[in-house]
Amino acid sequence: MKKPSPRVERGEQFFSDGLSLYVNRVFEEFELPEHEHDFIEICYVWEGNGFHYIEDHTIRVKKGDLFFLPIGVSHIFRPSAHHPKDPLIIGNCIFDEKIFRFLTSILPVEYGLYLFEHINAKTDRFIQMRELSGEFGHLFESLHKEFQQKHMGYETMLCGLLLQLLIGMERALNREQEIVDPVTEKVEKINRYIRGHLQEKITLTAIAQHIGLGERQLQRIVSIHTGRSLSTLIQKERIDRSCRLLSDPSLASLTIADIASRVGIHDLTRFHYLFKLWMNNTPARYRLEKALQSSLL
């Protein structure tokens, strides 16, 4: 028998006063059916234990577990029993894609802040992690308190706390990678340094000193694990960033020269050459095609 489609929960059921961000704390029971939603959700296991059913996965959960659920992922929490000794209490922070994009993409690009990698790259599937010493719980307490009390400036405070939570999640994912593969983590550190300094002149010496490696060792690691030279890797990151900027409708007022400057290429002729080399297209044509694609969605 075909599995029935999950119920769709919509942000308009929760969002109000022009703020597309909502925080609650709920005691999970068996009445609520499996559902998906048109917003992004971060769920935190506040107390108790039970199960989290996500798509085709059944995951045993306990206090300190945290989940990032992108749009369209079906899920439901269930306590371990109908009348558990310790109830399963879940904190939910839900927000729309615009807020997520502003915090993880627009802010970093506009002001040279930390560029999200793991969460941005994995928005097509759920992410699971655990806190080390209550760091997610403290943030959820603050989020819930701000949302309930609604003091002056609470909207801005909520966005700031959400940004802290997202950074904390990135750090947790980085810790997991470091435990699994130290060499891969070094490659990630190299990539993070490059992405964080694209507007500047990036040198082999500066990266090596930042990572704590010798210059030859760094070049060898990059060559073995990426199949590219360091200079080629930097080129690719600059063109990848320029593609994101050119695709962003909120940055349509920027000229091609502005885009080139933002990725650290100040010679416009060279930027056109490198863009054509990597993308087999001109920057202007690429921007137009992306704008047409966006208008058809």
Side-chain angles (χ1 to χ4, degrees):
M1 181 180 294
K2 186 178 179 181
K3 185 179 178 181
S5 298
R7 187 183 73 183
V8 178
E9 291 191 344
R10 304 195 179 280
E12 60 197 34
Q13 301 171 243
F14 305 95
F15 303 146
S16 61
D17 300 325
L19 178 66
S20 299
L21 197 160
Y22 176 89
V23 185
N24 70 357
R25 186 174 186 266
V26 297
F27 288 72
E28 293 294 344
E29 299 178 344
F30 285 86
E31 286 71 23
L32 184 66
E34 183 176 344
H35 58 277
E36 61 184 46
H37 30 73
D38 67 353
F39 47 79
I40 299 168
E41 182 172 10
I42 300 175
C43 309
Y44 172 71
V45 182
W46 220 310
E47 296 290 346
N49 58 74
F51 297 91
H52 194 184
Y53 300 91
I54 311 178
E55 302 286 1
D56 297 322
H57 303 270
T58 301
I59 302 171
R60 185 180 290 274
V61 298
K62 61 182 179 180
K63 177 179 171 61
D65 285 327
L66 183 135
F67 296 85
F68 177 86
L69 304 176
I71 294 170
V73 170
S74 64
H75 78 117
I76 189 66
F77 282 96
R78 298 287 189 217
S80 55
H82 277 277
H83 300 287
K85 183 178 178 181
D86 298 311
L88 179 62
I89 305 176
I90 303 297
N92 299 296
C93 177
I94 71 174
F95 44 95
D96 69 6
E97 196 171 10
K98 287 183 179 179
I99 287 180
F100 177 69
R101 185 163 152 269
F102 176 75
L103 294 176
T104 62
S105 179
I106 294 176
L107 267 180
V109 168
E110 286 288 328
Y111 299 103
L113 305 182
Y114 173 76
L115 276 170
F116 285 78
E117 298 170 22
H118 305 291
I119 298 174
N120 251 353
K122 298 181 180 179
T123 50
D124 59 336
R125 63 186 182 89
F126 76 89
I127 303 173
Q128 177 187 5
M129 65 196 73
R130 270 192 68 76
E131 64 186 2
L132 283 181
S133 55
E135 62 272 19
F136 296 147
H138 291 316
L139 284 168
F140 260 88
E141 289 281 1
S142 297
L143 279 162
H144 190 244
K145 182 178 179 180
E146 284 291 335
F147 188 81
Q148 291 294 313
Q149 295 182 345
K150 291 182 171 57
H151 290 319
M152 180 185 69
Y154 81 96
E155 303 96 334
T156 304
M157 184 68 81
L158 285 171
C159 289
L161 289 167
L162 175 56
L163 183 56
Q164 287 185 58
L165 179 58
L166 292 168
I167 289 288
M169 292 162 60
E170 282 272 296
R171 288 176 175 176
L173 292 168
N174 279 335
R175 284 197 304 267
E176 291 175 8
Q177 277 205 347
E178 193 169 304
I179 292 170
V180 173
D181 188 350
V183 176
T184 300
E185 175 61 16
K186 283 185 172 61
V187 175
E188 284 301 312
K189 284 183 178 179
I190 293 167
N191 283 326
R192 283 198 296 273
Y193 181 91
I194 292 170
R195 291 165 187 160
H197 295 78
L198 284 181
Q199 288 181 283
E200 308 166 15
K201 181 179 180 180
I202 303 174
T203 66
L204 171 62
T205 301
I207 301 176
Q209 288 177 349
H210 178 78
I211 305 300
L213 294 172
E215 293 183 10
R216 289 186 180 179
Q217 185 184 9
L218 186 147
Q219 288 177 311
R220 186 164 60 251
I221 287 175
V222 169
S223 177
I224 291 172
H225 290 273
T226 72
R228 297 186 171 100
S229 67
L230 181 64
S231 60
T232 303
L233 183 63
I234 294 170
Q235 275 185 18
K236 180 182 183 300
E237 291 294 341
R238 284 183 161 140
I239 297 305
D240 284 350
R241 176 80 62 83
S242 70
C243 286
R244 291 197 294 273
L245 296 175
L246 289 165
S247 303
D248 192 335
S250 69
L251 302 177
S253 62
L254 293 180
T255 66
I256 301 299
D258 291 333
I259 299 290
S261 179
R262 288 194 178 204
V263 300
I265 304 174
H266 303 288
D267 182 334
L268 190 56
T269 300
R270 178 165 175 75
F271 177 67
H272 276 272
Y273 168 77
L274 290 175
F275 196 94
K276 186 72 179 293
L277 182 68
W278 282 95
M279 303 303 299
N280 195 31
N281 206 345
T282 66
R285 183 71 182 175
Y286 179 88
R287 171 180 265 178
L288 177 61
E289 290 173 356
K290 289 297 179 180
L292 289 173
Q293 288 173 13
S294 179
S295 68
L296 294 174
L297 294 178

